[in-house]
Amino acid sequence: MALIQAKGIKKVYNEDSVPLEVLKGLTFDIEEGEFVAIMGPSGSGKSTLLHIIGFLDPQTSGTFKFKGKGIQDYTEDELAKIRNKEMGFVFQAFNLLPRTTVYDNVKLPLIYSDRPATEWHEKIMRAIKIVGMEHRVHHETSQLSGGEKQRVAIARALVNEAKVIYADEPTGNLDSKSGAQIMRTLQQLNKEFGHTIVLITHETYTAENAKRIIKIKDGHIESDRKVRHRKDSRNGLKK
């Protein structure tokens, strides 16, 4: 059974009582351990799709299942626990607390988890070490570069050992060198640690870091293909 199963996904918004169909019947599966890029131009529906497969927003019709169960099978509390424990989110804008240390930003998901506090320090430091930010652990995030902020955001997504990491335009606010470093980090999380990665991007160059590209246009899947000439990481992360 695939980790992520989407069948006939449609999403309709009502703007001023006028229906706007953003997603028009998308069907695909993502297996555990895959690295998939969902690519498309602005307005194609890729971020809307991310919200659905991240249990942040329900589809209008069609079915979406994560580990065999759909959003309708859970209470709101259960959905919150799944998003906290099974899913990690990385956004273009980082969404870090600016006058708070790296350590405390990475700790945030644990505060809302059911993990005993005695385990927190070990998990926080492991996540920080994986992304190579031990030397900045007590710095406030306002003191970090854009690339460092995104690595902290990835550590925060990792701290609960999520099965899948959803990365929404994670290089969008970064220069090319920092962006390449973030993509190396995501590749190694997939290759060395087995995380399923779902990357949202509008850039072909970025998408080709994945193993598979699902291309969306005007709310439809235009293509779904394996990446032939994949950009590959050369720098390993710390275990």
Side-chain angles (χ1 to χ4, degrees), residues 6-18:
K7 185 174 182 180
I9 295 292
K10 293 186 178 182
K11 184 64 179 181
V12 180
Y13 294 102
N14 288 306
E15 295 189 357
D16 299 325
S17 300
V18 178

Side-chain angles (χ1 to χ4, degrees), residues 26-221:
L26 276 61
T27 297
F28 60 90
D29 289 347
I30 296 176
E31 301 291 337
E32 187 169 353
E34 279 200 272
F35 187 160
V36 178
I38 296 174
M39 192 184 97
S42 179
S44 61
K46 58 189 185 297
S47 290
T48 298
L49 178 60
L50 175 69
H51 288 172
I52 292 171
I53 65 177
F55 280 159
L56 298 169
D57 192 24
Q59 67 272 19
T60 302
S61 61
T63 59
F64 166 64
K65 292 183 178 181
F66 181 80
K67 296 176 66 177
K69 296 179 71 175
I71 194 169
Q72 71 280 355
D73 299 320
Y74 298 99
T75 66
E76 284 300 319
D77 284 346
E78 287 171 335
L79 284 174
K81 286 181 180 178
I82 288 171
R83 287 191 295 264
N84 178 266
K85 189 173 181 180
E86 303 275 2
M87 302 173 175
F89 295 89
V90 180
F91 297 101
Q92 178 177 343
F94 317 130
N95 293 350
L96 301 176
L97 300 177
R99 289 178 293 277
T100 307
T101 64
V102 167
Y103 185 96
D104 285 337
N105 269 276
V106 175
K107 181 173 73 173
L108 279 174
L110 293 170
I111 295 172
Y112 301 101
S113 76
D114 56 4
R115 297 187 184 278
T118 53
E119 297 180 3
W120 289 8
H121 178 73
E122 181 182 352
K123 291 187 178 298
I124 293 164
M125 292 308 300
R126 177 183 180 273
I128 291 172
K129 182 180 179 183
I130 285 172
V131 300
M133 288 294 291
E134 312 98 298
H135 64 297
R136 304 288 259 168
V137 65
H138 298 302
H139 285 70
E140 293 185 356
T141 54
S142 57
Q143 300 172 304
L144 305 181
S145 69
E148 288 175 328
K149 288 177 182 178
Q150 197 60 290
R151 281 194 280 161
V152 174
I154 293 171
R156 182 183 57 192
L158 290 174
V159 74
N160 266 330
E161 300 172 10
K163 281 190 173 295
V164 58
I165 296 174
Y166 295 117
D168 190 1
E169 300 279 8
T171 63
N173 282 339
L174 305 178
D175 59 44
S176 58
K177 182 178 179 180
S178 297
Q181 184 178 42
I182 293 305
M183 294 316 303
R184 285 196 298 270
T185 300
L186 292 176
Q187 281 191 348
Q188 289 297 312
L189 290 174
N190 174 248
K191 182 179 179 181
E192 303 295 335
F193 296 88
H195 293 279
T196 305
I197 309 290
V198 180
L199 169 69
I200 304 296
T201 183
H202 65 279
E203 298 173 333
T204 301
Y205 181 87
T206 301
E208 286 177 348
N209 285 273
K211 297 177 181 177
R212 172 184 166 201
I213 298 175
I214 299 173
K215 191 172 183 180
I216 297 177
K217 185 176 181 181
D218 298 329
H220 295 281
I221 292 180

